[in-house]
Amino acid sequence: MISQDVVLVRYGEIALKDSWTRQSWERILKSNIAFCLHRAGVDHRISGSEGRIFIHTQDMRAVEIAAQVFGVVSVSSAQTVPSNLDDISRAAVQTALDGMERAMQAGSAVRTFAIRPRRFGVPFSSVEIGRKAGEAVRLATGATVNLNDPQLEIFVEARREGTYIFTDMVPGLGGLPMGSQGRMLALISGGIDSPVAAWMMMRRGCPISLLHFDSRPYADSIDQSKRCAEVLAEWTCGRKINFITIPIRRGIERIQMHYPRATCILCRRLMYRVAAQVMESERALGLVTGYSLGQVASQTAENILAEQAAIGVPVYHPLIAMDKSEIINLARKIGTYDVTMETKSCTAVPNKPMTRARREEILQAEEDLDLVNIARALACEMTVSRIGYEPGSESKIDRR
């Protein structure tokens, strides 16, 4: 039986960057992986070489842990052998025998295989690895080579420092390492979409702060929003999340009184105005929403144009082209879906909301209502709580 002693971690876009950026992002990714392993109590040592990160450990929990770190494309548990063709061939034979035994225990048989070789800085070619190891496996097992559709694939990565042999690749989350991009301020409502949007920006490397507008009595979702923040904090590799709440009831009442059909659009403009000020204190570089084009009446192209006109800050909509079913599947994967199912709709939404708002009319309404000054006053009422790991307890380290 093969003894696996290393976990290979592959990344994608990082490898395409210039040397300085690549090295910087590799360091961040290694640090994030190390934190998650430390949090789980996995004894390990991390190294890197030519497009790979290596986790040296006997604890194979490292595979699933590393696969859940942003920036990781795939992960494999592997055996390390010296970089010569004889040792590689012997290890390939044993890997094949182990694979066949597992297949038999599962009630199937392996009759075809393929060697998938790669090389980096060794004095023999990939073709030589494939031929020598493939012939050794064929003679030892009686299986035949099938490069197009094999029942068993044996991967060989031969490098100067050693050769890594494995059979499986566990998919990772992809994206970029958390902390490689600037901070974002994500609006979170307690519904299904907004925490998924925040997670998507986290996957692109952005630390986030969360802003919840407390609209009671029209909607009461502060508890669900805070619980979503706790779930999202599990994905931050130890960085805490600022959870910010601001009451917005007074603004909604004023809008409803004067422009009832435009309540949703003008309320959203008020939120953006407030959020733009919160961005400064959070040192955030943009706002994030859970908008999906056409999903609800307020999220038409015309309304989005009107509500964001002249706001003056970048607004990101990572879910804009996704179907609701896709968003729900992601929410389940992230862990926020069950929490958000408890959230009820906002009662301030008019019976016949405006769906094709005109930019000029909305800007005039904003001026008439003096929303800019209302936003300035509301921003002064914000409260901030820090959500995430606490030093000294399992998996609770603050690395903001």
Side-chain angles (χ1 to χ4, degrees):
M1 182 69 68
I2 289 289
S3 176
Q4 295 169 325
D5 56 4
V6 68
V7 173
L8 275 64
V9 178
R10 303 172 191 86
Y11 48 77
E13 294 177 58
I14 298 176
L16 304 177
K17 305 303 178 183
D18 63 85
S19 177
W20 186 92
T21 302
R22 184 176 65 252
Q23 290 176 24
S24 174
W25 290 6
E26 283 176 349
R27 284 195 297 270
I28 295 171
L29 183 55
K30 287 178 185 176
S31 176
N32 290 346
I33 293 171
F35 170 83
C36 294
L37 294 171
H38 173 76
R39 180 177 70 186
V42 174
D43 187 33
H44 69 280
R45 177 177 62 85
I46 290 182
S47 64
S49 172
E50 296 172 313
R52 294 283 186 269
I53 293 173
F54 302 99
I55 305 171
H56 304 275
T57 182
Q58 298 289 333
D59 190 339
M60 288 301 116
R61 290 182 299 160
V63 172
E64 294 298 332
I65 293 169
Q68 296 299 301
V69 175
F70 297 125
V72 173
V73 171
S74 65
V75 184
S76 298
S77 58
Q79 177 197 19
T80 309
V81 299
S83 289
N84 64 72
L85 292 173
D86 289 336
D87 283 312
I88 291 170
S89 298
R90 280 192 290 270
V93 168
Q94 188 59 56
T95 299
L97 292 172
D98 290 346
M100 291 176 176
E101 183 179 347
R102 288 194 299 270
M104 287 181 60
Q105 291 172 352
S108 60
V110 174
R111 295 185 176 87
T112 61
F113 74 97
I115 304 293
R116 305 297 193 197
R118 299 185 70 184
R119 60 176 293 277
F120 302 88
V122 294
F124 41 83
S125 68
S126 296
V127 172
E128 290 178 284
I129 297 172
R131 285 176 178 169
K132 177 101 179 195
E135 182 65 6
V137 171
R138 186 186 68 81
L139 292 174
T141 65
T144 59
V145 175
N146 184 337
L147 298 180
N148 295 320
D149 188 25
Q151 293 173 297
L152 175 66
E153 290 183 290
I154 301 172
F155 298 89
V156 179
E157 285 200 13
R159 295 171 177 267
R160 286 185 295 269
E161 71 276 10
T163 293
Y164 307 95
I165 299 178
F166 54 95
T167 57
D168 298 312
M169 291 189 187
V170 176
L173 296 172
L176 298 175
M178 167 70 74
S180 63
Q181 304 299 303
R183 177 172 295 276
M184 294 288 161
L185 178 64
L187 307 185
I188 187 164
S189 64
I192 294 172
D193 302 336
S194 56
V196 176
W199 185 89
M200 291 285 283
M201 295 304 286
M202 293 164 63
R203 182 176 174 269
R204 292 305 297 171
C206 300
I208 60 163
S209 300
L210 297 175
L211 173 57
H212 174 74
F213 287 97
D214 182 0
S215 57
R216 290 176 292 183
Y218 301 102
D220 185 0
S221 57
I222 190 168
D223 179 62
Q224 291 91 329
S225 297
K226 195 164 188 177
R227 285 158 61 195
C228 283
E230 292 169 352
V231 173
L232 290 174
E234 292 293 320
W235 296 89
T236 65
C237 299
R239 297 166 179 84
K240 284 194 174 182
I241 292 177
N242 278 1
F243 181 75
I244 303 158
T245 57
I246 294 178
I248 200 174
R249 175 183 58 82
R250 296 199 315 274
I252 296 174
E253 289 173 347
R254 184 171 177 82
I255 292 168
Q256 275 192 318
M257 186 181 301
H258 297 281
Y259 294 93
R261 283 204 66 209
T263 295
C264 295
I265 299 170
L266 290 170
C267 181
R268 199 67 175 187
R269 281 193 70 84
L270 178 59
M271 290 179 178
Y272 288 149
R273 293 293 188 189
V274 175
Q277 297 182 59
V278 177
M279 277 177 60
E280 294 184 15
S281 63
E282 290 297 301
R283 298 181 180 179
L285 303 180
L287 301 179
V288 180
T289 83
Y291 272 18
S292 173
L293 190 62
Q295 185 182 120
V296 295
S298 62
Q299 295 176 20
T300 63
E302 293 87 350
N303 284 6
I304 293 172
L305 175 64
E307 72 181 30
Q308 294 178 17
I311 290 296
V313 296
V315 183
Y316 298 88
H317 309 291
L319 311 184
I320 197 69
M322 294 179 66
D323 293 337
K324 190 66 176 184
S325 59
E326 294 175 303
I327 297 170
I328 288 172
N329 288 338
L330 256 182
R332 288 194 171 107
K333 175 180 179 178
I334 296 164
T336 56
Y337 180 75
D338 290 341
V339 175
T340 56
M341 284 302 293
E342 303 170 10
T343 303
K344 293 180 171 57
S345 300
C346 177
T347 59
V349 176
N351 290 330
K352 293 185 177 180
M354 190 177 290
T355 59
R356 296 185 180 274
R358 294 180 57 190
R359 178 180 182 274
E360 297 75 14
E361 291 179 356
I362 296 301
L363 291 176
Q364 185 60 55
E366 180 184 57
E367 185 177 345
D368 294 344
L369 293 170
D370 196 22
L371 291 188
V372 172
N373 284 324
I374 292 175
R376 190 174 293 117
L378 290 175
C380 296
E381 299 182 33
M382 73 175 181
T383 59
V384 183
S385 57
R386 300 269 282 157
I387 294 178
Y389 302 115
E390 295 295 340
S393 61
E394 179 182 298
S395 68
K396 295 186 178 181
I397 298 177
D398 186 359
R399 296 175 62 235
R400 186 185 185 192

